[in-house]
């Protein structure tokens, strides 16, 4: 099975071209579903460990990559299922461009897969840039002025970020120029081997540039501003992938640089930077979540808040590093489900303004109940899995040398929860109006978010031993 890793990249890339050439809407959706199933099956096979060895210096899968690849593949399958009714019946805007959906989504999957399965930092950089190019046309799906502005903002800011990340890669190469990485290529293994002898100023410059550069894509403050605009304009299935899978890709890229810092034995500066940027991101996101009038932008700011949470967790280290990787899994499950449900609400009510949406539970009860459940999950209430990941980070922060960080962490999470509640609860309650009968909810519009909510609950009640073991080994890789 040595060809499985290249297959997972080539399959969606080749079928993206096929879907583009066919231009048939139903043919494109059939290809999308078929590829999603094959990709998920191939990724599941990788958990057997038989194809996780190195394929040259370009493709190599470690446990960190396997976790993020699995999230991406699972979300892509569920998003593909919800895409069928969305494209065939849910595109409420006549200016939509449904024919570009399947080809771009498949290209997006190929790029995200490559990020997860390569440990060559130059190839990883190219793959991250590929995710931007593949997803930008999806942001402009509705071909409105607002969508055009959001797509350009997404392209420009992420391009600035990716340029900084490239400089960071160059700096890392300079730092390792006197070590074995000079002849072994730009692989993570070579950089980690050369790390103890790296020039510290170049190493620190490399991490700062990578953190700011890939942090732009991850949604960390201060270059996070593309994220709310993009989510408010993009189709809900695309928002689900952007928030649930793409942010993890950028997080993984930062972790690759952090692994080099850990291998150098001098990574306190990196931890401090992650903690500072994490707390600032949570704080800024909370400020915008309170009183937020657009429910899709609310979920976008919640994503920024949760990326801050994982940054703080990695920065604190120890059991918090385990909690950070665990939380990235939990956030993906909950936020992808919330964005898919936001699409159901938008389809029925025709607006993203929270003030104009009332009586969701009365009009679309399954969507309303799942929306409430996933709100409680991402809000960190037990027994959902995000409670445990956030508790691990809080516990490590509170028991560390600076207990005030634990108190601050808890206070910010409480503000975020109240901010979401202030917007979502009035939407769920109330009467939908005399001329607003109960709407039909097709199975494929509620099944994917139901499965995501069920997974968040099941992992919270009984985390699978295989997942726990993988998270433990991943945390060790990032100094946990």
């Amino acid at each position: 099975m040595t060809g499985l890793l290249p297959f997972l990249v080539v399959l969606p890339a080749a079928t993206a071209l096929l879907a583009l050439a066919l231009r048939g809407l139903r043919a494109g959706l059939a290809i999308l579903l078929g590829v999603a199933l094959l990709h998920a099956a191939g990724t599941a096979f990788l958990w057997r460990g038989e194809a996780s060895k190195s394929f040259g210096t370009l493709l190599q899968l470690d446990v960190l990559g396997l976790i993020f690849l699995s999230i991406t593949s699972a979300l892509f399958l569920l998003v593909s299922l919800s895409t069928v009714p969305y494209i065939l019946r849910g595109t409420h805007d006549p200016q939509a461009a449904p024919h570009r959906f399947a080809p771009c989504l498949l290209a997006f999957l190929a790029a995200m897969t490559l990020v997860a399965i390569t440990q060559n930092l130059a190839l990883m950089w190219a793959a991250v840039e590929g995710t931007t190019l593949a997803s930008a046309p999806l942001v402009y799906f509705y071909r409105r002025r607002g969508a055009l502005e959001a797509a350009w903002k997404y392209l420009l800011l992420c391009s600035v970020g990716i340029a900084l990340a490239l400089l960071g890669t160059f700096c890392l190469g300079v730092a390792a120029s006197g070590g074995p990485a000079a002849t072994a290529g730009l692989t993570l293994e070579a950089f980690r081997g050369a790390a103890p002898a790296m020039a510290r100023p170049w190493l620190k410059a490399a991490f700062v540039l990578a953190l700011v550069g890939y942090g732009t894509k991850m949604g960390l403050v201060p270059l996070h501003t593309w994220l709310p605009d993009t989510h408010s304009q993009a189709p809900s299935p695309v928002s689900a992938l952007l928030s649930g899978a793409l942010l993890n890709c950028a997080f993984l890229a930062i972790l690759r640089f952090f692994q080099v810092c850990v291998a150098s034995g001098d990574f306190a500066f990196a931890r401090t930077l992650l903690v500072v940027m994490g707390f600032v991101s949570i704080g800024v996101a909370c400020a915008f979540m309170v009183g937020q009038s657009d429910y899709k932008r609310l979920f976008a700011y919640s994503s920024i808040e949760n990326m801050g949470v994982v940054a703080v967790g990695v920065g604190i280290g120890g059991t918090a590093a385990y909690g950070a990787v665990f939380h990235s899994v939990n956030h993906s499950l909950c936020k992808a489900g919330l964005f898919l449900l936001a699409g159901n609400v938008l389809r029925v009510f025709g607006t993203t303004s929270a003030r104009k949406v009332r009586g969701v539970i009365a009009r679309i009860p399954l969507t309303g109940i799942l929306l409430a459940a996933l709100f409680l999950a991402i809000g960190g209430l037990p027994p959902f899995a995000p409670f445990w990941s956030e508790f691990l980070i809080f516990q490590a922060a509170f028991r560390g040398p600076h207990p005030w960080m634990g108190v601050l962490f808890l206070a910010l999470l409480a503000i975020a929860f109240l901010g979401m509640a202030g917007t979502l609860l009035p939407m769920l309650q109330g009467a939908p109006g005399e001329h607003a009968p109960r709407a039909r909810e097709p199975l494929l519009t509620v099944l994917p978010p139901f499965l995501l909510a069920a997974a968040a609950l099941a992992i919270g009640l009984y985390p699978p031993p295989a997942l726990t073991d993988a998270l433990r080994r991943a945390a060790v890789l990032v100094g946990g």
Side-chain angles (χ1 to χ4, degrees), residues 149-162:
E149 291 175 356
W152 274 112
K153 192 172 186 178
Y154 174 55
L155 277 171
L156 289 174
L157 283 179
C158 289
S159 296
V160 170
I162 205 71

Side-chain angles (χ1 to χ4, degrees), residues 98 165 173 214 245 291 365 410:
Y214 288 126
L410 202 58

Side-chain angles (χ1 to χ4, degrees), residues 165-237:
L166 181 61
L167 285 175
T169 307
F170 288 157
C171 288
L172 199 59
V174 174
S177 58
T183 56
L186 297 172
T187 63
L188 178 64
E189 184 179 359
F191 281 127
R192 291 178 67 188
M198 282 184 179
R200 292 298 183 264
W202 284 108
L203 176 61
K204 291 179 179 179
F207 184 76
V208 169
L209 289 166
L211 180 60
V212 176
Y214 288 126
T216 302
K217 193 94 172 184
M218 185 179 167
L220 293 177
V221 173
L223 294 176
H224 65 287
T225 54
W226 66 269
L227 208 146
D229 291 343
T230 299
H231 282 303
S232 66
Q233 296 295 330
S236 294

Side-chain angles (χ1 to χ4, degrees), residues 244-317:
L246 178 64
L247 301 188
N248 285 342
C249 291
F251 178 45
L252 179 60
I254 292 173
L255 289 182
R256 295 306 189 196
F257 279 78
F258 187 71
Q259 284 181 262
V260 177
C261 294
V262 171
S264 74
D266 184 12
F267 59 104
F269 74 97
R271 281 185 160 176
T272 302
L273 282 174
L274 284 166
V275 168
V276 170
M277 286 191 71
F279 271 119
V280 171
S281 298
I282 300 173
V284 170
C286 286
F288 283 94
M289 289 170 71
V290 176
Q292 179 57 243
S293 59
D294 185 309
Y295 56 86
K296 289 192 75 177
R297 293 180 75 89
L298 175 72
F299 294 155
Y301 281 113
S302 172
S303 292
I304 296 170
E305 173 230 338
N306 282 279
M307 289 302 102
V309 167
V310 300
V312 168
V314 175
I316 291 173

Side-chain angles (χ1 to χ4, degrees), residues 15-16 18-20 22 26-37 102 106:
T15 50
L18 178 63
L20 188 64
L22 291 176
R26 292 183 182 277
L29 290 174
I31 293 172
L32 188 69
L33 287 174
V35 171
L37 282 168
L106 289 165

Side-chain angles (χ1 to χ4, degrees), residues 316 319 391-407:
I316 291 173
T319 55
F391 178 75
L392 286 171
I393 297 172
F394 160 73
Q395 188 181 48
F398 194 71
R399 290 181 175 176
H402 306 292
W404 61 266
M405 287 201 302
V407 177

Side-chain angles (χ1 to χ4, degrees), residues 315-391:
I316 291 173
T319 55
Y322 178 98
V325 182
F326 188 22
H327 194 69
S328 65
V329 175
N330 298 333
H331 169 256
S332 297
L333 297 175
C334 297
K335 195 52 61 61
L338 283 170
F339 272 116
L340 292 177
L341 293 170
N344 295 351
V345 175
L346 179 58
R347 175 176 56 83
V348 172
F349 289 87
T351 178
T352 60
S353 172
R355 294 189 178 92
K356 296 179 181 177
V357 176
R358 289 294 182 270
V360 172
I361 289 182
R363 194 167 178 190
I364 37 177
L366 293 177
T367 294
I369 292 169
L370 289 172
L371 197 58
L374 284 169
F375 153 62
L376 296 177
I378 200 65
L381 265 64
F384 292 100
F387 167 77
W388 299 109
S389 52
E390 290 179 341
F391 178 75

Side-chain angles (χ1 to χ4, degrees), residues 104 107-115 124-138 154-155 158 162 217 242 245-247 249-250:
C104 290
F108 191 30
L109 175 62
M112 289 192 293
T113 301
L114 188 54
V115 173
M124 181 185 71
W125 175 87
V128 173
E129 175 65 1
T131 62
T132 305
L133 298 176
S135 55
L138 294 170
Y154 174 55
L155 277 171
C158 289
I162 205 71
K217 193 94 172 184
L242 287 174
L246 178 64
L247 301 188
C249 291

